[in-house]
Amino acid sequence: MWTFALARLAGILLAGLCLGLLFPPLWLWVLLAACLYLAWQLLNLYRLDRWLRRRSQLDPPAIGGIWGDIISQVVRLHRRKQFHKQRLVQIFRELRRSTAALPDGVIVLSGQHEIVWFNRRAARLLGLRRPIDIGLRIDNLIRSPEFVRYLHGEDFATPLVIRPPLETDLYLALQLVPYGAGQSLLLARDVTRQMRLEAMRKDFVANASHELRTPLTVISGYLDTLAEDPGIDQGWAGPIRDMRAQAQRMNAIVTDLLELSRLESTDGEAPRDAIDVPRMLERLHRDALAKGDRPHRVLLELECEDGLFGAPHEIESAFTNLLVNGLKYTLSDGTVRMRWWSDEEGAYFSVIDTGIGIPAEHIPRLTERFYRVDAGRSRGEGGSGLGLAIVKHALQRHGGWLDVRSVEGKGSTFTCHFPALRICRVDVAASA
């Protein structure tokens, strides 16, 4: 095409040159030929511009040469663009239909947590309106302190369960899924039924535990009387001893269930009573040393004299459960070490043992009710499977959390983390 265009230009200039030789002056005919060629090119350019501006109304101009080739390429690009556009529109419509059919609400958020798009389910669950709420920050629409902390946090693996302010009977599980360049998806699911079933289960366990306490107390009392009665046939000594042990185990389970139910049913944070943690740990250490079936070494390391602001009974229950677990699963020639320290970020209590350890796949579920790594061994040792659940809820009431690290066959480390606001510094305790 370019060779043909150059040949055409050369032919026009040659024609002007020949006319100039026949009818002087020469330069005038050459200039006239060049102007005619330029005018023809400008006309083609005008026709191309006019067609591009009104492409939906006009057919492509019939121009040969290089202009015709340019128009053909533009037509091909336009057809390709139309094909991809129709394909994208089709994909977007399929995406909208599929998200509209989802049982969960889906909200697309920008890097600044502004609403970009949401499906109909999200509109129903959260009361969103289109297009009024598009572009608004999601934390301005969902006014929940827990949700704001979750939105600006870093751990999104566990969904957050909230109750929308306008829906007293509705429970929503919200989970943030980051993707792309700072964008994220907010998934909303109605978990009202699950929460009601969980509440019913907790109420049943609490009521059953209360009802069991009285008959167990009566049975334990009669068994204690029979065990101390010298007139009982010695053949019954073994069965009575076994029944007393099982009754004591049942009493321990009921006590743990009642404590866990109390922690789960208590709303809000724990009170802020001053707790002398070092003295509490010294007492727990003495009690551990008094046990006959303990490991050879039970150590206490007090690296600070700071205490805590909280509920003394709950903190002691959490520390006792961690210590009892360490003593229970450590061999007689092993070591159990308690450690208490603090820094600018908070306070920490650890129970470090050289026991049997915990396989890695069991660690995420350790704080579930009745979950046992080795059910047979736990029952043999008298464990209820509720101790770590009590620890978890007690720490949550104090704004803390439990960190578990373990290597199977080498031992475990259970660490309680407390925020700096819960630390009772020594000077504060002294002035109080």
Side-chain angles (χ1 to χ4, degrees), residues 155-358:
D155 184 14
F156 308 119
T158 303
L160 173 70
V161 178
I162 65 169
R163 300 182 70 175
L166 300 179
E167 297 287 345
T168 56
D169 296 332
L170 182 66
Y171 289 87
L172 293 181
L174 304 178
Q175 185 170 15
L176 200 68
V177 182
Y179 77 96
Q183 292 182 301
S184 56
L185 289 177
L186 181 63
L187 306 179
R189 175 176 297 178
D190 185 357
V191 293
T192 305
R193 184 173 180 273
Q194 294 91 317
M195 295 301 294
R196 288 176 178 172
L197 291 175
E198 180 70 12
M200 290 174 60
R201 181 182 66 83
K202 291 178 181 178
D203 291 342
F204 170 76
V205 170
N207 293 333
S209 301
H210 278 290
E211 295 298 327
L212 284 173
R213 168 164 280 187
T214 300
L216 279 174
T217 303
V218 174
I219 292 173
S220 298
Y222 278 117
L223 288 174
D224 292 341
T225 302
L226 290 174
E228 296 172 0
D229 188 353
I232 294 294
D233 188 353
Q234 291 301 314
W236 284 97
I240 291 175
R241 183 172 56 253
D242 294 339
M243 286 188 287
R244 289 182 69 192
Q246 293 302 319
Q248 291 172 358
R249 179 172 177 269
M250 284 295 296
N251 271 317
I253 293 176
V254 169
T255 301
D256 287 345
L257 281 172
L258 291 173
E259 175 68 12
L260 185 57
S261 298
R262 186 189 65 81
L263 290 172
E264 291 179 337
S265 61
T266 304
D267 295 329
E269 296 184 352
R272 299 183 63 84
D273 299 332
I275 306 173
D276 191 346
V277 175
R279 305 293 84 77
M280 177 190 293
L281 294 179
E282 288 175 352
R283 185 174 68 255
L284 294 179
H285 183 232
R286 289 194 299 271
D287 293 343
L289 292 177
K291 293 180 178 292
D293 54 346
R294 62 174 176 84
H296 179 64
R297 290 179 295 275
V298 180
L299 309 176
L300 173 62
E301 299 177 3
L302 297 175
E303 300 180 16
C304 71
E305 290 295 322
D306 295 335
L308 290 174
F309 289 114
H313 172 72
E314 296 178 12
I315 294 298
E316 183 169 356
S317 175
F319 289 178
T320 301
N321 275 295
L322 293 179
L323 177 59
V324 168
N325 277 350
L327 297 173
K328 186 186 301 180
Y329 295 111
T330 302
L331 301 178
S332 58
D333 58 347
T335 301
V336 175
R337 183 160 54 98
M338 292 185 292
R339 183 185 174 208
W340 170 253
W341 78 101
S342 65
D343 56 25
E344 289 124 7
E345 297 182 357
Y348 314 90
F349 170 71
S350 287
V351 174
I352 305 135
D353 64 65
T354 59
I356 60 176
I358 304 168

Side-chain angles (χ1 to χ4, degrees), residues 358-367 371-374 404 408:
I358 304 168
E361 64 270 18
H362 294 286
I363 292 178
R365 299 189 59 190
L366 284 179
T367 56
Y371 186 80
R372 297 182 178 94
V373 177
D374 184 351
V404 182
E408 190 173 7

Side-chain angles (χ1 to χ4, degrees), residues 11-67:
I12 292 175
L13 293 176
L14 183 60
L17 182 62
C18 293
L19 290 173
L21 292 175
L22 293 175
F23 308 101
L26 177 63
W27 63 269
L28 181 61
W29 288 100
V30 173
L31 179 61
L32 181 60
C35 289
L36 288 174
Y37 184 78
L38 179 60
W40 182 70
Q41 297 292 351
L42 289 175
L43 177 61
N44 290 337
L45 183 61
Y46 167 75
R47 295 172 67 186
L48 175 62
D49 177 71
R50 181 168 175 266
W51 171 68
L52 290 175
R53 292 179 183 274
R54 305 172 61 185
R55 190 171 58 247
S56 60
Q57 303 173 6
L58 300 177
D59 294 330
I63 307 175
I66 190 64
W67 291 103

